[in-house]
Amino acid sequence: MFGGKKKEEELDEFNIHVARHRPEELAKLAKTTKFTRKEIQLIYRGFKQECPTGMVDEDSFKNIFSQFFPQGDASQYAHYVFNTIKHNHTGKISFEDFLGILSKVSRGSVQEKLQWIFGLYDLNGDGLITKNEMLDVVTSIYEMLGRSTEPQVDEHSAKEHVEKIFHQIDANKDGVVTIDELVEWCSRDEQILQSLDTLDTVL
Amino acid sequence: MASVAAWLPFARAAAIGWVPIATHPLPPAPIPKDRRKADDEKLLINVSGRRFETWRNTLEKYPDTLLGSNEREFFYDEECKEYFFDRDPDIFRHILNYYRTGKLHYPKHECLTSYDEELAFFGILPDVIGDCCYEDYRDRKRENAERLMDDKLSENGDQNLQQLTNIRQKMWRAFENPHTSTAALVFYYVTGFFIAVSVMANVVETVPCGLRPGRAGTLPCGERYKIVFFCLDTACVMIFTAEYLLRLFAAPDRCKFVRSVMSIIDVVAILPYYIGLGITDNDDVSGAFVTLRVFRVFRIFKFSRHSQGLRILGYTLKSCASELGFLVFSLAMAIIIFATVMFYAEKNVEGTNFTSIPAAFWYTIVTMTTLGYGDMVPETIAGKIVGGVCSLSGVLVIALPVPVIVSNFSRIYHQNQRADKRKAQRKARLARIRIAKASSGAAFVSKKKAAEARIAAQESGLEIDDNYHQEDIFELQHHHLLRCLEKTTDREFVEMEVPYNGQPKRPGSPSPLASPTHSAASHPGLLHACCGRCCGQRYQKHQRGATPESTAHDEELNDIQIRMQSNRSPPSEPTPDRLSRASLNQTNSGGGTGAGTGGTGGGGSASLVSISKPNSTTSSTMTASVVVNLPASYPGSEVEPTSPASPSASPATSPDQQPEVRISTL
């Protein structure tokens, strides 16, 4: 019957193999990133355990991220982080992308780190952070806290926070933050520079 | 390394995004005091000759099992440098896969009991069986349990026979199970015989035997042999009445018995006789009398006590009532439609039978069921066309719902049995997941307080318990990450109260640290509990004291074993002192306030044991295996330890009467 063929095609689409990805050679990765061979091995084993096909899609990324923040909802922040990782049009990231970002952000120079931070906040990628973009990101950070905090999080917490911070970073008060303003603001504060370092991880 | 832990570096790297907007500077990173061997080592496990190898960290993902805890050391073979288990290697494969992948599968070809035994031996709760295999496991388990129960019941039944002293009980048992004694069997057959006799008599008495004297027409046997049939009827009714009264006497719950279907049938079967006795054979009421006699045919339903099949059929019809209703309704619709059309097509024909629409109903029914008596036939062409369409559609309309009913019956029958079971399971599972989530949050909070205290102590250079060195670097870093989040947003994580039903409540009191009047000295046990206990814990806890109890809940797997554990105090303890948040923020200031603990309201020692990776397809559930030691006065947030004065030497083993919540969830 004429209806039957379409069904078959649809079923076939489901059966198309999930794209598998094999990462580049270990030695090459060790050269291009700031990790040692042993560290890359450890990272890859964990990566492959979570994503056997070698590619992470956004949903599993959100899932993994949420495991570290059990009280709240980390999915929105994970979404923003996911967007900072360059991925091809299939919407998945490969191990090289993952490792590249990890190397840049946790062991890169201050400039690289600040650049990544800027990319995180600049949601539409136009080179400027508006107040709304920062509000979105800050809201997602507050969502990770969940319900049981002291003082409690309500819908105005993020807004207040952004109000406080935004005008400090926006040096020329034009309503947007450029990468230079962000770099300027972070370089001035000694504590921020120190904080950037504390988030490196020992493997 | 726990696979999700492998992503911790990335999560921490992603946290750099919080830095520009942080309201407070982020706390410094934890310094690993003692680097554990960076290389993970492989363990050799020999199960009845078959060798398995795995990483040590894989096994330690679930520290409340045999392989993940110190208990496996009992099985270590020094000469061969391997762990030897004299168990079934085929089933062990699945158990080892549970450690590797986080999902426990149940092989369909294995015997359920042997599988259960292996799980019990290795300290794994059957609750963690993955969704793919869980239903099958439960079904088999239920069958097994039912079989065991039946065996036990019949055993008991045989025993109980001698124990029945009550006449009533004996009689009731005789009525319900005719096979239990010869008297019961005799009674069973006698009543069956009389039912048959009665029904046959009803049938035969209408057969014509001979001509009616003085009148045209035949004489039915019932009128010819009136006396005979009357005696037969009387005998049957007496037997039935006696049976009914005996049953009524023997029934354990008389009200329920009177309302049951079978007893109603009994009453309806014998009532016409008595009513017939009451009214005289008068022509006025003979019509009513005849009607009553019709009810005698209900005696045939008494056979359903004798036949299992009839009972099942009755239950079928009852449960398929909606489908039957649909069938009747759709038929009625079709009948009305066709009858109407037929009537209007045929009403102008000379001498037609289709005098009204209800008259056409009969034609429609006969045609749709393809009976075609021919007592009413259409004459016009339009009528004939409609008649043709009617008979064709009749086949469809009738033939379609019948298989639906049949398959519905089979589906509904099985489904009803499963649906309730699944609902109960789901509720219990959700409750468990909620509890685990809440407790993991609570675990973090108390660990955080302990970790803070430790860091402060470390900064001020004070002597710390040796156990501290075994602190896992990953846990340290995970907690550091959560503290960074706190600092960024100027909030603090506090404990949630987790009542038994798993619904988390907001804590009524503010965080203990915020109230400086809360003197630590007045709650010595709390401090000991917090510092010593938490310090003594590793990221993967080794706590196996209570596994033998886990086998006790084989009947209802949905129960959560909750036993409370009080806190113990280790021998050495730094002087209790309060530590304010401000001094914690002074990174290397030497700490004028000295060592102290932050743990008060949290109190209870809890640990987040491990978070195994979720399957990417089940995004909504979190797999967590948590052992939570809750404070003795659970669920209150104030902790009153039951035995603060008696520190036990080894915090790892738990005495039996101490509370502990052991939850493994899916």
Side-chain angles (χ1 to χ4, degrees), chain B residues 448-468:
Chain B
K448 170 189 78 161
K449 292 182 169 69
E452 280 165 2
R454 244 200 323 279
I455 289 181
Q458 170 189 337
E459 285 159 4
S460 51
L462 221 62
E463 274 293 328
I464 317 188
D465 230 348
D466 256 352
N467 289 341
Y468 163 69

Side-chain angles (χ1 to χ4, degrees), chain B residues 232-430:
Chain B
L232 211 53
D233 206 21
T234 310
C236 292
V237 169
M238 271 171 41
I239 301 274
F240 297 151
T241 316
E243 179 202 355
Y244 181 71
L245 289 174
L246 282 176
R247 276 185 204 266
L248 190 63
F249 168 67
D253 185 355
R254 294 219 174 103
C255 292
K256 200 171 83 157
F257 174 74
V258 167
R259 280 179 291 157
S260 73
V261 176
M262 287 312 303
S263 83
I264 291 179
I265 291 178
D266 289 339
V267 169
V268 170
I270 58 180
L271 219 46
Y273 176 81
Y274 290 109
I275 295 180
L277 282 185
I279 35 180
T280 55
D281 199 6
N282 196 339
D283 270 338
D284 291 341
V285 294
S286 67
F289 187 53
V290 165
T291 320
L292 280 177
R293 285 178 135 199
V294 168
F295 282 98
R296 290 185 304 173
V297 79
F298 276 90
R299 288 180 194 162
I300 206 169
F301 284 116
K302 287 167 69 74
F303 267 129
S304 53
R305 273 220 184 86
H306 299 255
S307 159
Q308 173 86 334
L310 269 182
R311 281 205 294 271
I312 290 181
L313 182 63
Y315 175 74
T316 308
L317 291 176
K318 197 166 60 163
S319 65
C320 282
S322 68
E323 271 68 29
L324 284 174
F326 168 70
L327 171 62
V328 168
F329 177 69
S330 63
L331 269 180
M333 263 176 45
I335 287 173
I336 291 176
I337 290 174
F338 281 111
T340 310
V341 179
M342 209 57 209
F343 171 71
Y344 282 112
E346 287 285 310
K347 83 177 187 166
N348 292 325
V349 170
E350 199 59 47
T352 184
N353 281 331
F354 294 89
T355 50
S356 65
I357 294 185
F361 280 170
W362 173 244
Y363 169 76
T364 318
I365 292 176
V366 168
T367 312
M368 283 184 81
T369 54
T370 69
L371 281 176
Y373 288 136
D375 54 347
M376 290 164 79
V377 285
E379 307 283 340
T380 61
I381 295 186
K384 286 187 179 159
I385 292 176
V386 173
V389 174
C390 176
S391 65
L392 283 176
S393 68
V395 172
L396 281 177
V397 169
I398 295 204
L400 276 181
V402 169
V404 171
I405 289 180
V406 168
S407 71
N408 265 2
F409 157 62
S410 145
R411 182 177 55 84
I412 290 173
Y413 184 72
H414 292 294
Q415 218 179 42
N416 267 347
Q417 298 204 326
R418 274 197 219 137
D420 296 327
K421 185 179 64 166
R422 224 182 287 139
K423 237 184 287 178
Q425 280 177 19
R426 198 178 339 136
K427 248 194 287 186
R429 276 200 212 178
L430 283 179

Side-chain angles (χ1 to χ4, degrees), chain A residues 107-148:
Chain A
R107 302 206 176 162
S109 69
V110 171
Q111 184 68 20
E112 285 176 332
K113 290 183 185 177
L114 290 175
Q115 202 154 29
W116 184 82
I117 296 178
F118 189 83
L120 175 71
Y121 281 88
D122 184 14
L123 299 179
N124 56 3
D126 60 354
L128 303 166
I129 302 179
T130 67
K131 207 178 214 179
N132 283 334
E133 287 174 339
M134 179 171 278
L135 181 61
D136 287 339
V137 177
V138 172
T139 314
S140 71
I141 294 177
Y142 272 85
E143 276 173 9
M144 288 196 283
L145 284 172
R147 301 256 96 229
S148 60

Side-chain angles (χ1 to χ4, degrees), chain A residues 1 42 68 79 90 93-94 97 103 109 171 173 182 184 190:
Chain A
M1 262 131 321
L42 284 174
F68 293 108
H79 169 75
T90 65
I93 54 177
S94 67
D97 302 328
S103 155
S109 69
K173 310 287 181 225
L182 184 68
E184 172 71 34
E190 178 63 34

Side-chain angles (χ1 to χ4, degrees), chain A residues 11-20 53 92:
Chain A
L11 282 177
D12 273 338
E13 275 175 21
F14 276 125
N15 288 341
I16 286 178
H17 292 289
V18 182
R20 303 200 99 76
T53 59
K92 300 190 186 201

